[in-house]
Amino acid sequence: MKLTDLRNAVKEIEFDEEKQERLIQEIRAEKRSRGYTGLLRAAAAFAVCVLAAGLLSVPVRAVVRSLVQERMEEVPKAEITEIGEQIQRQSVDANGFTRAYTEGEKARREKLYAQYMDGLFPTDELIQVDSEEEAAKHEFCFLTTTSVFYLPQDRELTDEEILEQIDFEKKLDYALQEQHAEEIAERKAAEKEQIQKTVAAGGVTEEQAVEVAEGYLERIFGLDGSGMELTHYYNNPDPDPAGIAGTYAVNWSDMGSYTYYYFFIDAADGTLRSMSYSHDTEGTDALRPSVTEAPGKIDDIRRQALEFLEEKLDISESFAEVKSYYLVNVTDERVSRTVDVLFTKEDGASYLVSCRWDGEIRDFAVDAKEDYAERLRTRVRANIDRYQNDEGREVQIEIVEN
């Protein structure tokens, strides 16, 4: 897997654009989303492949429940091998859809996903075809050559069809994991050794880090993790980006509604290094104000960011400087989806809080002002490059600081 392939995969994960850009920057590694969600094969492919490159430790969509695991293990080896080879033959980096899910389909998928994880499996298999001519003969199928789900145009998916899609996605994930089983095993062994050293030096265990993250999940979101998939692993300090090196990643995923909660707990002292929350990209996009309206919203966003620090994280400190930042595409007269608020102390250490335009908190990180400034400049360059590569046009993007 080439680094450019990793970059392509990152762009299909259901993060808003700022998170995509930051993740691309951090791994130093493009295909546009074509449907309701991008967190399908690409997310699994990204997670497994960066694992093999030594950047993460487990797949984002690990198969964690025994019933599903048993079902995957019962799939004939030849079928799993063929799925893996099919993925390698495809020229795209994410699954696409011929139309977006309806609101009704989204709601039913959320319920059906939970039932699937508890053992409610489809009666039949998803139909796979190898040509557009053949795909046109079916209301619902998967075109293997372009990795596109063909959905009914004049009706909603049935429960059986949604289950077939979920089941097929799980097989894709499982096939990717099987392809990289050896690399994963080697990585886990190295992690175990590093964790032992960290704990011996006075650090926290992985189990303790999960407990800390559970506390933040409850405090920030009022959730206890019930009904979600829990994944946790150690980020090796050598190959990982500086922002998450030497941390335990503790992630909860609601794959039915495509909602994700990520916490990075410092392995040395058990403190929260960063937090990220991802859901409803379409809703976030709809909240963007016009370029002229944006400045009038900043004071309220900064107030909500400060309340988050004080009320959710118990951070009440004196700051030498509080600044907000967002990007403006001058060419298209369009602002970025989120606003960053940087709270900087006298020594230059900072807390970064990223918000939607309605003030909802999406990210938190312990940061350094200089590091953030450099990443912000890199985001601008990444945005400009993406328009050039994807659309073949040049745009002017500026940083607005308040």
Side-chain angles (χ1 to χ4, degrees):
M1 173 67 67
K2 298 179 293 185
L3 292 180
T4 52
D5 295 329
L6 296 181
R7 179 177 178 176
N8 291 336
V10 172
K11 290 190 64 182
E12 297 304 328
I13 297 176
E14 193 181 22
F15 294 145
D16 57 39
E17 62 193 33
E18 284 80 9
K19 295 178 188 175
Q20 294 172 6
E21 292 151 13
R22 286 200 292 272
L23 192 51
I24 291 169
Q25 297 156 19
E26 288 170 349
I27 66 174
R28 301 187 187 276
E30 250 152 50
K31 186 128 181 118
R32 282 163 288 173
S33 179
R34 300 172 299 171
Y36 165 54
T37 178
L39 211 160
L40 293 171
R41 171 172 59 78
F46 163 74
V48 175
C49 291
V50 294
L51 162 61
L55 293 175
L56 291 180
S57 303
V58 295
V60 173
R61 299 181 57 194
V63 180
V64 295
R65 298 195 186 178
S66 60
L67 290 174
V68 176
Q69 181 69 29
E70 290 172 8
R71 178 174 176 81
M72 295 298 106
E73 292 173 351
E74 291 172 357
V75 177
K77 189 71 174 180
E79 181 179 346
I80 294 299
T81 300
E82 172 56 28
I83 291 175
E85 292 174 350
Q86 173 184 301
I87 293 170
Q88 295 301 321
R89 291 194 299 266
Q90 289 167 352
S91 59
V92 298
D93 297 293
N95 296 331
F97 294 82
T98 53
R99 65 165 173 80
Y101 259 34
T102 66
E103 291 302 317
E105 287 169 333
K106 293 178 186 179
R108 285 191 293 118
R109 178 193 160 89
E110 184 173 353
K111 295 179 180 178
L112 287 167
Y113 185 89
Q115 293 175 315
Y116 176 89
M117 296 302 290
D118 287 334
L120 177 64
F121 301 130
T123 302
D124 297 314
E125 298 280 340
L126 174 68
I127 296 173
Q128 299 181 54
V129 298
D130 299 324
S131 69
E132 293 185 2
E133 292 75 19
E134 192 174 357
K137 300 176 183 179
H138 302 278
E139 282 190 297
F140 177 60
C141 64
F142 181 76
L143 180 55
T144 61
T145 54
T146 59
S147 193
V148 171
F149 287 99
Y150 278 67
L151 306 187
Q153 295 301 308
D154 301 320
R155 64 172 178 84
E156 289 195 344
L157 291 165
T158 65
D159 288 359
E160 165 67 18
E161 289 169 334
I162 293 175
L163 285 170
E164 288 177 12
Q165 181 185 332
I166 292 171
D167 193 52
F168 183 66
E169 293 167 11
K170 285 297 182 185
K171 289 179 180 178
L172 290 173
D173 292 355
Y174 183 71
L176 283 162
Q177 293 179 40
E178 288 294 288
Q179 282 185 330
H180 296 274
E182 184 175 345
E183 296 99 319
I184 291 173
E186 293 175 354
R187 178 66 174 171
K188 294 302 291 183
E191 282 178 18
K192 184 176 180 179
E193 181 179 351
Q194 183 61 49
I195 289 173
Q196 291 174 342
K197 293 179 180 178
T198 299
V199 174
V204 300
T205 66
E206 191 165 342
E207 292 73 19
Q208 289 171 325
V210 172
E211 291 179 2
V212 172
E214 286 175 340
Y216 283 112
L217 183 69
E218 169 65 31
R219 180 186 298 182
I220 296 173
F221 301 103
L223 301 172
D224 62 4
S226 299
M228 294 189 285
E229 297 179 32
L230 170 63
T231 303
H232 48 87
Y233 52 90
Y234 181 78
N235 288 296
N236 199 311
D238 293 328
D240 275 330
I244 61 174
T247 65
Y248 293 104
V250 185
N251 309 326
W252 282 271
S253 302
D254 184 342
M255 298 305 301
S257 63
Y258 299 107
T259 305
Y260 313 93
Y261 306 85
Y262 301 92
F263 298 88
F264 292 90
I265 307 301
D266 196 306
D269 58 17
T271 58
L272 179 66
R273 184 89 67 81
S274 69
M275 179 280 297
S276 181
Y277 169 53
S278 176
H279 86 114
D280 187 22
T281 302
E282 295 177 357
T284 301
D285 189 67
L287 290 169
R288 298 192 208 204
S290 67
V291 174
T292 55
E293 293 172 334
K297 295 181 175 293
I298 296 302
D299 286 346
D300 193 49
I301 289 173
R302 289 171 63 165
R303 176 186 59 77
Q304 292 181 73
L306 180 60
E307 289 178 356
F308 172 78
L309 290 181
E310 295 177 341
E311 298 175 7
K312 301 297 185 180
L313 303 185
D314 289 333
I315 296 175
S316 298
E317 302 180 15
S318 297
F319 299 106
E321 181 180 77
V322 178
K323 293 281 189 178
S324 61
Y325 304 86
Y326 61 92
L327 303 184
V328 173
N329 181 328
V330 178
T331 306
D332 296 339
E333 297 184 345
R334 185 179 176 89
V335 300
S336 54
R337 287 192 180 101
T338 56
V339 180
D340 290 343
V341 183
L342 193 68
F343 298 85
T344 305
K345 297 186 288 186
E346 290 288 351
D347 61 3
S350 302
Y351 299 113
L352 175 64
V353 181
S354 295
C355 311
R356 300 201 310 181
W357 284 96
D358 63 352
E360 179 184 83
I361 307 301
R362 284 305 180 89
D363 295 89
F364 162 81
V366 178
D367 212 339
K369 182 178 180 180
E370 294 77 10
D371 293 341
Y372 172 74
E374 178 56 33
R375 287 201 312 277
L376 191 59
R377 290 189 291 268
T378 302
R379 280 170 54 188
V380 172
R381 293 192 294 268
N383 262 308
I384 292 173
D385 289 345
R386 187 171 67 248
Y387 278 101
Q388 180 65 52
N389 295 331
D390 286 358
E391 302 181 14
R393 64 190 183 98
E394 296 183 358
V395 298
Q396 179 184 351
I397 296 178
E398 297 179 351
I399 300 170
V400 176
E401 174 183 332
N402 291 288

